[in-house]
Amino acid sequence: MVYPQAAFLALVAAIVVFPLYGPVKQRIVVFGLTRSADSIVNIHGKGLRIIPDTVQCEDSHLHQESGMIFTACQGSEDPDARWTWFPPLIKFDEPGNAKQGSIYVVDPKTFSSQKLQLTGFSGPLVTHGMDILTDPTDAQLLHIFVINHLPNPQHWYAQGTTQSSNKTLSQIEVFSHVLGSQTAEHVRSINDPLIKTPNDILATSPTSFYVTNDHYYREGDMRVLEEVLTQKFGGWSDTLHVEITDPKSTNPSIGTHITVALTGLHNNNGLGRSASSRPEEILIIDASGGVLTRAYRSLVPAEDKKLTVVEHIQFDTTLDNPFYYDDPWATPEDDASGYVLAGLTRGISLALDFSRADKPIPSTVWYSRRSTATNGTEGESHKAWEKTVIFQDDGNDLRSASSAIMIGIDPKEEGGKKRAWLFVTGFASYAMVATKVDL
């Protein structure tokens, strides 16, 4: 969900120079240059619903035990503030518009939302990626990790030699929440020079998590170049592992141990878990490249926290936060488990349209699962990926999509057919939407 101000010009230049180059052709498709805005057809499933008071919710997570959806939203109090302060999209115009967002709980049965009151926390909360984790010793306690893109006071308010060139001081906020309550208590903040352009989080324990840096460059011409390049030429972003050594520290810069877990990928973005049977697998998204990367981590606490890439899967739009649907009614003959991936249908126009609230931002949600195929060259059976557009919107009902969650419906309630409720939200959307889809 991070695309450059001048991506269009850079991409056009690349097309002129390398008209026959395969990766450039793929970039044309992913950015949506082959799709006109007028040609986008809505694919809404059955019974589109609007979830009230879910404004600009960039990321969302399903809490399996309670069935509730947790999401980090900027909120309805001043939705226009994001257009001038949102560092992930190089919006640094008005640091005074860094407002306090919050954490919301969505009930997928009633299609309603509840804003959690943040206790022990003051100041801006410019929301982005997030994650949740049930406490291993208390099933009612939820740990919530939220990225916060603050204005850097050393840039905006310092003078002379003390002034920093970095306009943002992005950090991670840690909260605790008792299920069923209406509050989330702030535990501590975390920032570090290694945490430069944080995008998303994957928690592995109450005191440890992975976090992606989506770019090496925060802004400028090199940021544009980084966005347009592929992993082969622009794999400059990284994924970090953070261990909290002092959960009670009031100083955001101490009480942590941070290491680099993975380098060499392009535009590291959303993070996600895979099947419950594969706890070692982590999903990493190359947003502007439209690539889902499957990586493995060690489950042995004493071993290092490095990630090992297993597979790259290419899609034909930009992507954002990944979700894995574990089919509760799976059989060997019929397993609907698969990846659910939200993205932008025309990512090329995001830089121009983001701050223009009247402009739609079309979106696509992919549903991908394995299928057995035959390799025509060698005649050997291998695993391929089915990729289906399960949802698409022209930007009028849903303005952008960065997260999608699928909740299965008992086939007995659907005449034996496998269906699910799909919940989709976006960083520039005015509401989360839900619709019933066939699997």
Side-chain angles (χ1 to χ4, degrees):
M1 173 275 295
V2 276
Y3 315 105
Q5 299 275 359
F8 180 79
L9 294 177
L11 193 58
V12 168
I15 295 166
V16 171
V17 176
F18 303 112
L20 299 178
Y21 188 41
V24 173
K25 291 183 178 180
Q26 183 63 50
R27 305 297 276 138
I28 293 172
V29 173
V30 168
F31 274 120
L33 276 167
T34 58
R35 310 177 194 100
S36 67
D38 295 337
S39 68
I40 297 170
V41 178
N42 287 341
I43 302 172
H44 279 175
K46 300 176 182 178
L48 188 72
R49 295 172 179 257
I50 307 297
I51 314 299
D53 197 20
T54 51
V55 178
Q56 297 165 359
C57 307
E58 197 273 348
D59 197 5
S60 58
H61 290 273
L62 175 64
H63 184 249
Q64 297 285 353
E65 292 81 359
S66 67
M68 295 295 180
I69 296 172
F70 286 77
T71 180
C73 310
Q74 208 49 42
S76 58
E77 296 177 0
D78 190 359
D80 291 338
R82 173 156 285 199
W83 315 144
T84 55
W85 182 263
F86 193 52
L89 286 177
I90 329 177
K91 297 298 179 182
F92 303 111
D93 304 324
E94 295 290 343
N97 276 342
K99 307 292 185 179
Q100 187 179 103
S102 192
I103 302 160
Y104 288 70
V105 183
V106 174
D107 187 333
K109 294 183 178 179
T110 63
F111 303 98
S112 61
S113 69
Q114 179 188 56
K115 177 182 178 181
L116 298 183
Q117 299 302 313
L118 306 182
T119 61
F121 182 83
S122 59
L125 179 60
V126 182
T127 58
H128 195 180
M130 66 168 296
D131 197 16
I132 59 174
L133 184 78
T134 302
D135 190 273
T137 61
D138 184 354
Q140 291 300 112
L141 181 62
L142 196 66
H143 302 274
I144 306 176
F145 303 80
V146 183
I147 286 174
N148 184 11
H149 294 292
L150 296 168
N152 184 4
Q154 291 300 315
H155 174 86
W156 296 102
Y157 310 117
Q159 296 181 353
T161 57
T162 62
Q163 188 175 33
S164 169
S165 61
N166 296 331
K167 298 176 181 177
T168 182
L169 180 64
S170 298
Q171 60 187 34
I172 289 88
E173 310 295 350
V174 184
F175 296 89
S176 63
H177 167 70
V178 176
L179 293 173
S181 72
Q182 299 181 9
T183 62
E185 181 180 359
H186 189 242
V187 177
R188 65 160 296 175
S189 303
I190 298 169
N191 63 44
D192 187 270
L194 287 175
I195 302 174
K196 299 186 297 184
T197 55
N199 186 294
D200 201 12
I201 298 169
L202 188 141
T204 53
S205 81
T207 57
S208 63
F209 57 88
Y210 289 93
V211 57
T212 52
N213 280 315
D214 56 43
H215 288 82
Y216 182 83
Y217 296 96
R218 289 182 171 90
E219 57 181 323
D221 293 342
M222 289 302 294
R223 163 85 172 219
V224 174
L225 180 63
E226 182 179 7
E227 196 77 48
V228 175
L229 291 176
T230 61
Q231 179 180 322
K232 183 176 181 180
F233 300 105
W236 303 334
S237 55
D238 57 24
T239 299
L240 309 175
H241 181 267
V242 179
E243 187 76 33
I244 302 173
T245 57
D246 183 0
K248 297 182 179 181
S249 174
T250 57
N251 185 334
S253 301
I254 64 173
T256 60
H257 177 66
I258 302 178
T259 57
V260 177
L262 182 64
T263 60
L265 295 188
H266 175 259
N267 197 192
N268 285 7
N269 202 279
L271 288 171
R273 295 172 181 83
S274 188
S276 56
S277 60
R278 299 194 300 272
E280 73 281 4
E281 183 173 317
I282 288 180
L283 311 177
I284 309 170
I285 293 295
D286 171 354
S288 65
V291 178
L292 166 66
T293 294
R294 299 174 56 232
Y296 283 173
R297 67 184 179 98
S298 171
L299 299 181
V300 179
E303 293 187 0
D304 69 37
K305 307 306 178 182
K306 298 287 186 181
L307 299 177
T308 303
V309 171
V310 177
E311 183 180 11
H312 301 293
I313 307 170
Q314 179 70 61
F315 290 80
D316 286 344
T317 67
T318 65
L319 301 175
D320 213 307
N321 300 301
F323 175 80
Y324 188 83
Y325 173 67
D326 246 330
D327 182 3
W329 300 277
T331 66
E333 297 77 23
D334 184 10
D335 187 352
S337 301
Y339 302 107
V340 182
L341 307 165
L344 302 183
T345 316
R346 280 183 47 82
I348 193 66
S349 60
L350 177 61
L352 294 175
D353 294 343
F354 173 72
S355 298
R356 302 164 67 183
D358 60 324
K359 289 289 186 179
I361 301 176
S363 59
T364 297
V365 177
W366 296 89
Y367 168 48
S368 181
R369 57 181 178 173
R370 284 197 180 277
S371 65
T372 302
T374 299
N375 187 314
T377 303
E378 300 178 2
E380 298 178 354
S381 177
H382 71 284
K383 294 292 186 180
W385 291 101
E386 293 179 354
K387 303 169 188 175
T388 305
V389 175
I390 200 169
F391 178 90
Q392 188 166 270
D393 187 81
D394 60 11
N396 289 298
D397 288 307
L398 179 69
R399 188 173 186 263
S400 78
S402 51
S403 178
I405 287 175
M406 206 151 66
I407 302 176
I409 304 171
D410 191 332
K412 294 179 181 178
E413 300 177 12
E414 297 294 326
K417 295 182 178 179
K418 284 194 174 182
R419 293 187 174 123
W421 280 103
L422 181 71
F423 292 79
V424 192
T425 185
F427 54 91
S429 64
Y430 290 102
M432 178 184 291
V433 302
T435 187
K436 188 184 291 187
V437 295
D438 292 313
L439 303 181

